[in-house]
Amino acid sequence: MKQTMRLLLVALVAGAVTLGGYKLFVEEANTIAYVQSDENASFIPTSNTKAAAFASGVEFTEAAEKTVNAVVHVKNTTISRQPSNIMEYFYGGGEPRAMLGTGSGVIISPDGYIITNNHVIANASQLEVTLNDNRTYEAELVGTDPKTDIALIRIDAEGDLPFVPFGDSNSVKIGEWVLAVGNPFNLTSTVTAGIVSAKARDLNEFDRNPQSFIQTDAAVNRGNSGGALVNTRGELIGINTAITSETGSYVGYAFAVPSNNARKVIEDIMEYGNVQRGILGISAANVSNPALRQQGINETEGVYVAGIEPGSGADKGGIKEGDIIKKLDGYKIGKFSDLSGYLGAKRPNDVVQVTVLRNGREKVIPVTLIKLETYEMSDIGLEVRNTSQANLQQRNLEYGVEVSRSLTQEMQRYNLVGIIITQINDQPVRDIDDAKRIMNRRDGQDPIKVTFVDQKGEKNSFIFR
């Protein structure tokens, strides 16, 4: 009995020591490890956006409060005719049907001006805007620019409206936190967060339409088009425009038109009725082009000047063929989309300080931008521009407009770039204004006769039906 009591006492003492040791060492050690992990960790989980934002001290609520009420829902009603028989299919006609499209817009002034994407309001017969407080207004179209996919509309509301101030998209940095505000999936204003993933993105460098998007990983989906990309101060730095996805939904790649470019477009629309584009007057290529490598160009960043337009700002300023553009007004130019994006916020007659690399040395050259004057004759698939006097004299012509590019694959086959159009429907074409006037006044069903002089100086005519 005594032996049994002795064994029981030893067991109790051993148990107490074990429990005390666990409390003292194991639980205390776990507590210390938890505190160190929480407060002193040198890493942030890549899958936890909220944790990353918290760790970096970023506060989104103020920016969201400033912008959410200034982002609107845009409804576009278009009328289309669906053929119901073979005759209507070939000759047109059919029952008119209303089709609805939706997107987002950003109020940019208290008197109701709203910026959105051109593709959101394209071909609209009626536009309707719903504010975040559910008030609905009919909107009028002020102007559009399909090249940048920017449009300006306006509503007439009672009293001043909340609006988003413009920020400087040139100062945006890669890795900077941003918010995307819009109306995806026909929901009311929705806010998502992300970072700036890249700048000066051109989604298709072969489409002859240089783009310079801000790329972000903030969740952007269908319906976000035309919505706001804002920084943490609530300033507008971009207009959400596109996503790249196999499914058409968010996968982490969204693109926005920089606010400097969008602002310039709408200011031009309001002041001139169209967009005033300023250009250097050069033909150019990225220095990374393999063909330039074969010519001994070893630079990895910059824009190679392949040609100079006579009489242009580049010509008068002293830029030479073979120069490599490294900076514009001090901003680094790594590729052509950097150059086109920066110039997209400039106007004709603006002076740009161009830093070029020539014979191994950098040189700063002030260049006055010239006006890019082009007109798209979509009915025949050609874009024309005003040509130089030297080009006219070379072909013994008094007037004409030059074909700057083909708009369709069919027209690209004929190699018409560089021809000079002298007449349309037997009416003289002295400049692109003449081309606009003739094309706008013609009956849409009539054939189009184009008289031109080709690169060899030979006169020809085409009839487009």
Side-chain angles (χ1 to χ4, degrees):
M1 186 68 176
K2 290 182 178 179
Q3 183 66 23
T4 302
M5 292 296 294
R6 187 178 295 112
L7 291 173
L8 179 61
L9 181 60
V10 171
L12 291 173
V13 171
V17 171
T18 301
L19 180 62
Y22 176 82
K23 289 286 187 180
L24 178 63
F25 296 104
V26 177
E27 287 196 355
E28 185 175 353
N30 284 343
T31 302
I32 292 173
Y34 175 78
V35 170
Q36 289 176 336
S37 173
D38 185 45
E39 292 186 356
N40 301 317
S42 60
F43 64 91
I44 297 172
T46 58
S47 61
N48 193 336
T49 301
K50 292 182 179 179
F54 178 77
S56 61
V58 176
E59 177 58 61
F60 296 134
T61 56
E62 182 177 353
E65 288 173 358
K66 288 180 177 179
T67 57
V68 70
N69 291 314
V71 175
V72 302
H73 183 263
V74 180
K75 185 169 71 173
N76 171 6
T77 302
T78 61
I79 303 297
S80 64
R81 292 183 178 272
Q82 300 294 327
S84 58
N85 55 58
I86 193 68
M87 296 297 290
E88 290 178 348
Y89 180 81
F90 282 107
Y91 297 103
E95 284 293 324
R97 295 178 56 185
M99 301 182 66
L100 297 180
T102 60
S104 304
V106 186
I107 304 174
I108 56 171
S109 67
D111 55 347
Y113 281 97
I114 297 169
I115 189 171
T116 184
N117 283 141
N118 177 68
H119 75 260
V120 170
I121 55 83
N123 304 314
S125 59
Q126 182 180 3
L127 290 171
E128 186 178 276
V129 167
T130 301
L131 307 185
N132 197 42
D133 60 7
N134 296 319
R135 286 184 292 167
T136 299
Y137 300 92
E138 283 194 15
E140 63 173 327
L141 178 62
V142 179
T144 68
D145 181 40
K147 284 186 177 293
T148 55
D149 200 10
I150 292 296
L152 183 66
I153 61 177
R154 187 176 185 274
I155 60 174
D156 188 9
E158 307 86 12
D160 290 345
L161 294 171
F163 66 97
V164 182
F166 280 96
D168 180 9
S169 56
N170 283 338
S171 65
V172 172
K173 297 181 179 179
I174 295 175
E176 179 178 341
W177 282 101
V178 289
L179 297 180
V181 189
N183 292 267
F185 306 119
N186 287 330
L187 300 173
T188 53
S189 290
T190 299
V191 179
T192 54
I195 62 169
V196 174
S197 305
K199 297 175 65 176
R201 285 292 198 213
D202 189 350
L203 301 185
N204 184 357
E205 60 180 306
F206 304 107
D207 64 355
R208 292 179 172 267
N209 182 26
Q211 300 165 319
S212 186
F213 289 123
I214 296 173
Q215 180 182 327
T216 176
D217 67 347
V220 171
N221 288 286
R222 291 169 178 160
N224 270 109
S225 290
L229 187 70
V230 300
N231 58 25
T232 55
R233 297 183 297 276
E235 298 169 336
L236 186 67
I237 60 168
I239 299 297
N240 296 316
T241 298
I243 58 177
T244 296
S245 167
E246 294 180 355
T247 64
S249 297
Y250 168 75
V251 291
Y253 298 97
F255 303 91
V257 177
S259 61
N260 288 10
N261 299 51
R263 181 175 187 172
K264 186 259 181 186
V265 167
I266 62 171
E267 287 177 349
D268 281 356
I269 289 173
M270 295 175 70
E271 185 172 352
Y272 304 103
N274 54 46
V275 179
Q276 309 287 301
R277 289 186 169 87
I279 59 172
L280 292 172
I282 64 172
S283 57
N286 290 326
V287 293
S288 58
N289 190 312
L292 295 178
R293 287 280 184 270
Q294 298 176 2
Q295 298 179 24
I297 305 297
N298 296 318
E299 292 291 316
T300 59
E301 292 185 311
V303 173
Y304 179 81
V305 179
I308 306 290
E309 183 176 333
S312 67
D315 183 26
K316 295 176 180 178
I319 291 181
K320 297 182 179 180
E321 185 175 331
D323 286 347
I324 297 175
I325 298 176
K326 306 292 286 186
K327 296 178 182 178
L328 293 179
D329 290 336
Y331 287 96
K332 177 183 174 181
I333 302 299
K335 52 189 181 299
F336 187 74
S337 59
D338 291 325
L339 183 144
S340 61
Y342 186 81
L343 294 181
K346 298 296 181 179
R347 291 186 176 84
N349 298 321
D350 284 351
V351 178
V352 178
Q353 302 298 321
V354 183
T355 302
V356 301
L357 183 65
R358 181 186 298 170
N359 299 325
R361 301 181 64 181
E362 287 193 352
K363 182 177 182 179
V364 179
I365 301 174
V367 175
T368 301
L369 302 182
I370 63 173
K371 184 178 181 180
L372 174 63
E373 296 182 298
T374 62
Y375 171 59
E376 291 186 0
M377 298 191 293
S378 56
D379 290 339
I380 59 177
L382 295 175
E383 179 188 79
V384 295
R385 66 182 178 188
N386 291 331
T387 191
S388 65
Q389 194 64 35
N391 201 7
L392 291 173
Q393 291 176 356
Q394 185 179 4
R395 304 190 203 187
N396 295 318
L397 295 174
E398 295 182 5
Y399 55 81
V401 294
E402 181 181 352
V403 173
S404 52
R405 67 182 177 121
S406 299
L407 303 176
T408 65
Q409 290 185 346
E410 180 182 2
M411 296 307 295
Q412 289 174 4
R413 294 184 301 174
Y414 297 107
N415 191 29
L416 297 176
V417 174
I419 70 170
I420 296 181
I421 296 175
T422 58
Q423 291 181 331
I424 298 177
N425 291 341
D426 296 323
Q427 299 181 56
V429 179
R430 293 176 176 82
D431 51 33
I432 60 172
D433 290 332
D434 281 344
K436 290 179 185 178
R437 174 181 52 78
I438 296 169
M439 295 297 290
N440 290 336
R441 291 181 180 179
R442 59 175 283 271
D443 190 319
Q445 304 299 320
D446 290 343
I448 305 171
K449 180 182 177 182
V450 175
T451 303
F452 65 91
V453 175
D454 62 19
Q455 294 87 339
K456 298 179 181 179
E458 297 177 354
K459 188 175 182 179
N460 299 275
S461 293
F462 274 173
I463 296 179
F464 298 87
R465 298 185 183 277

